[in-house]
Amino acid sequence: MDHHHPVLFDEVAKAAIPIIDTFNSQDVANTVNAFAKMDHQHPVLFDEVARAAIPIIDTFNSQSLANTVNAFAKMDHQHPVLFDEVARAAIPIIDTFNSQELANTANAFAKMDHHCPVLFDEFAKAAIPIIDTFNSQSLANTANAFAKMDHHHPVLFDE
């Protein structure tokens, strides 16, 4: 059953854009995640979300960071500055990422071909102690992301 209502999503975008600066990190992540889940393209909304997110990126937790870049990647919406800022914000809190967040974030960076070797080194360091919590999809996505980015980490792949 298809529950996609394009007119509703266009109206949500129209209403959200003027107040996007009032959104907190969870609002930002939930909004773009909903649009991505419904595969509803709205480039203006995504650009405005990125613009609003960048100044508050340090308030994002691991889930909000992962969901935001994952949504941008799913919609194939390029925003290199946002991805740079997500990488910067993620590194100090990388130990708070769970296996799915690590895999999804790495996958999003790889899908968008956004190179950030320092972030991928940190992904590997964070993944190693929790590797047994990765399910098959997270393992495959992580390996694929590292391969796509041509980022070899001997400890991660030798464990």
Side-chain angles (χ1 to χ4, degrees):
M1 182 182 300
D2 184 13
H3 292 291
H4 184 219
H5 296 281
V7 174
L8 173 64
F9 274 79
D10 286 340
E11 290 300 314
V12 166
K14 184 176 163 185
I17 289 170
I19 63 168
I20 202 75
D21 290 321
T22 68
F23 282 32
N24 65 30
S25 60
Q26 188 173 358
D27 298 333
V28 166
N30 288 348
T31 300
V32 291
N33 197 45
F35 275 72
K37 185 173 182 155
M38 298 308 291
D39 198 23
H40 189 87
Q41 293 284 341
H42 203 291
V44 173
L45 175 67
F46 274 67
D47 285 341
E48 287 298 307
V49 162
R51 181 194 57 74
I54 290 168
I56 64 167
I57 204 74
D58 290 323
T59 68
F60 281 51
N61 64 21
S62 58
Q63 183 179 18
S64 294
L65 290 170
N67 287 348
T68 299
V69 292
N70 196 47
F72 272 74
K74 183 172 182 187
M75 299 307 290
D76 200 23
H77 191 91
Q78 293 283 341
H79 202 290
V81 174
L82 175 66
F83 275 68
D84 286 343
E85 287 299 305
V86 166
R88 184 192 57 74
I91 290 170
I93 65 167
I94 202 76
D95 290 339
T96 68
F97 280 63
N98 66 32
S99 58
Q100 183 179 4
E101 293 161 351
L102 287 168
N104 287 350
T105 305
N107 197 48
F109 273 75
K111 184 175 189 310
M112 300 307 286
D113 200 26
H114 193 89
H115 292 265
C116 189
V118 172
L119 180 62
F120 272 70
D121 285 342
E122 294 299 318
F123 283 151
K125 287 179 200 170
I128 291 166
I130 63 167
I131 201 74
D132 60 333
T133 68
F134 280 61
N135 65 23
S136 59
Q137 183 178 1
S138 293
L139 287 170
N141 286 347
T142 301
N144 186 56
F146 274 74
K148 184 171 183 355
M149 300 307 285
D150 196 25
H151 192 90
H152 183 70
H153 193 279
V155 177
L156 179 62
F157 292 102
D158 290 345
E159 285 292 306

